[in-house]
Amino acid sequence: MQENLSKMLEEAKAQLKAATSEKDTEDIRIRFLGKKGQITEVLRSMGKLSPEEKKELGRAANEVKEQITAALTRRADELKAKAKEARLKAETLDVTEPAAEVKIGVKHPITQIIEEVTEFFESMGYSVYEGPDADTVFNTFDGLNAPPTHPARDMTDTFYITPDNVLRPHTSSAELRAEEELPLPYKIVIPGRTYRCDTPDATHSHTFHQIELMVIGEDITMADLKGTLDGMAKKLFGPETRTKFRPHHFPFTEPSAEMDVSCFKCGGKGCNICKGSGWIEILGCGMTHPHVHRAGGIDTDKYTGFAAGMGVERIAMLKYGIDDIRLLYEDDMRFIEQFE
């Protein structure tokens, strides 16, 4: 038995010396030290031996087992080091090879318009204020001086969550919240998503974006409103842009107006964009109605203010010549990448 153990040790060493991979060393380990390996078989055959013979053979078998285990570890470490060295040589980085192109994303045109408008007003000392997408009927209609018979209150126009809560159809609903929360005086710009019961087509969507302006202070006049919006128009459409204000009616402003800008395509001469008029309507505005200020707890004897609201999609479509609003929502990268 001991002679066989000595032969097993020499045989194991010879096989390890010839091994060329980690798999070879694992095969050798199984062959000699596995559950059915040669050393294990020797230990199992000791049942018929005397106690003295068992003790002597067991000690010899364990010594051979330890030597084979140590030899296995050394050879496995050598082969791992060689494999690592070969892998590093094969994976050498060629710094002269052209790198793979990294494609940079493009901001969506809606995001670009919102950022351009808010950055302009922030440069004038405005703060960005945001209201919730779901708001109360009071903040959406009653507090904004909309009469109970106003058509915008109909379920065919506004998404009702409960009888007292709606998905806001305009960012103007944040005006009441601002009046209650912000210290006076203040100038804010309110960007956000809005919702209306519209059937999607080339110019309508049930979900769209607006930007609201609101200024409250002492001695605020219509001249302040006109000068502010004229500066915004020149920033958005170019320094040669002209503006004009037409009388209009909104429940929450008095007086109210719609603002037109000179057509940036034809310069006011008349074209298909402005429908031959030379002007394009882009927003509604006016001096904030005293009823709105009172609903927000504002002293109307001391403070006045103005408000304006514009559709982001409309400005994007006009500025970039987009003829179908649905293109803005289809996530077609071929379309979006044009606005890089």
Side-chain angles (χ1 to χ4, degrees):
M1 286 286 191
Q2 292 187 9
E3 290 179 5
N4 288 337
L5 286 171
S6 298
K7 290 180 181 178
M8 289 179 195
L9 177 59
E10 295 303 318
E11 184 181 350
K13 289 181 177 180
Q15 291 183 16
L16 284 171
K17 187 176 181 179
T20 58
S21 68
E22 293 181 59
K23 183 180 181 303
D24 291 343
T25 61
E26 177 62 14
D27 290 341
I28 294 169
R29 185 194 68 79
I30 294 172
R31 187 176 304 125
F32 289 95
L33 305 180
K35 290 182 179 181
K36 297 181 180 180
Q38 295 181 28
I39 302 296
T40 305
E41 291 297 325
V42 170
L43 293 172
R44 286 176 179 173
S45 66
M46 292 167 50
K48 299 179 180 180
L49 301 178
S50 66
E52 288 298 323
E53 290 175 327
K54 286 182 181 179
K55 184 177 180 180
E56 186 177 352
L57 184 60
R59 182 173 60 252
N62 285 327
E63 288 178 358
V64 170
K65 184 177 180 180
E66 289 174 2
Q67 291 184 54
I68 293 176
T69 301
L72 278 166
T73 302
R74 288 194 300 271
R75 187 55 177 163
D77 290 342
E78 292 173 1
L79 292 173
K80 283 181 182 179
K82 288 183 179 180
K84 182 178 179 180
E85 183 179 355
R87 186 171 67 253
L88 290 175
K89 288 182 179 179
E91 294 176 356
T92 301
L93 178 64
D94 183 1
V95 295
T96 65
E97 184 178 355
E101 181 182 0
V102 178
K103 196 168 186 179
I104 305 299
V106 178
K107 285 186 178 179
H108 196 281
I110 290 177
T111 301
Q112 292 188 37
I113 294 295
I114 291 175
E115 289 184 352
E116 191 171 356
V117 172
T118 54
E119 285 173 5
F120 168 76
F121 283 106
E122 284 179 315
S123 72
M124 296 178 65
Y126 283 66
S127 299
V128 177
Y129 182 84
E130 295 183 353
D133 286 18
D135 213 331
T136 63
V137 170
F138 179 83
N139 286 346
T140 306
F141 298 118
D142 299 310
L144 295 178
N145 202 38
T149 57
H150 197 285
R153 291 175 175 262
D154 292 344
M155 295 185 69
T156 55
D157 274 41
T158 297
F159 290 105
Y160 280 81
I161 302 172
T162 70
D164 298 318
N165 295 277
V166 298
L167 290 177
R168 63 180 179 187
H170 45 217
T171 46
S172 305
S173 62
E175 290 186 12
L176 272 294
R177 292 179 175 271
E179 289 182 336
E180 294 171 352
E181 295 175 6
L182 302 180
L184 297 172
Y186 62 76
K187 299 186 292 185
I188 56 174
V189 55
I190 312 169
R193 185 179 287 111
T194 52
Y195 312 86
R196 292 182 189 173
C197 298
D198 276 334
T199 301
D201 59 25
T203 56
H204 297 85
S205 175
H206 50 72
T207 304
F208 54 102
H209 299 76
Q210 285 187 343
I211 299 177
E212 191 89 7
L213 306 179
M214 191 180 190
V215 174
I216 297 180
E218 297 184 44
D219 302 320
I220 302 296
T221 68
M222 192 74 174
D224 297 314
L225 168 63
K226 293 176 69 175
T228 299
L229 295 180
D230 185 75
M232 181 200 72
K234 287 179 168 56
K235 171 67 175 177
L236 283 175
F237 303 111
E240 303 301 321
T241 303
R242 294 171 290 124
T243 58
K244 74 173 180 179
F245 294 78
R246 294 178 288 102
H248 199 70
H249 170 71
F250 300 108
F252 37 87
T253 53
E254 180 58 39
S256 303
E258 284 188 336
M259 187 182 84
D260 298 342
V261 297
S262 55
C263 181
F264 41 82
K265 181 178 181 181
C266 66
K269 297 177 182 178
C271 66
N272 62 320
I273 297 294
C274 61
K275 299 179 181 178
S277 68
W279 296 93
I280 300 173
E281 183 266 314
I282 64 166
L283 59 81
C285 59
M287 301 299 293
T288 306
H289 200 291
H291 289 178
V292 177
H293 281 174
R294 292 192 192 102
I298 306 296
D299 183 357
T300 56
D301 293 328
K302 183 178 181 180
Y303 294 103
T304 55
F306 66 74
M310 64 198 81
V312 176
E313 281 81 353
R314 176 169 176 76
I315 293 177
M317 292 174 72
L318 291 171
K319 184 172 182 177
Y320 300 126
I322 302 169
D323 58 6
D324 193 325
I325 194 173
R326 290 169 293 192
L327 293 171
L328 295 168
Y329 307 123
E330 291 178 348
D331 295 331
D332 187 337
M333 293 307 298
R334 297 170 300 177
F335 170 77
I336 295 174
E337 286 171 351
Q338 298 179 68
F339 305 96
E340 183 175 2

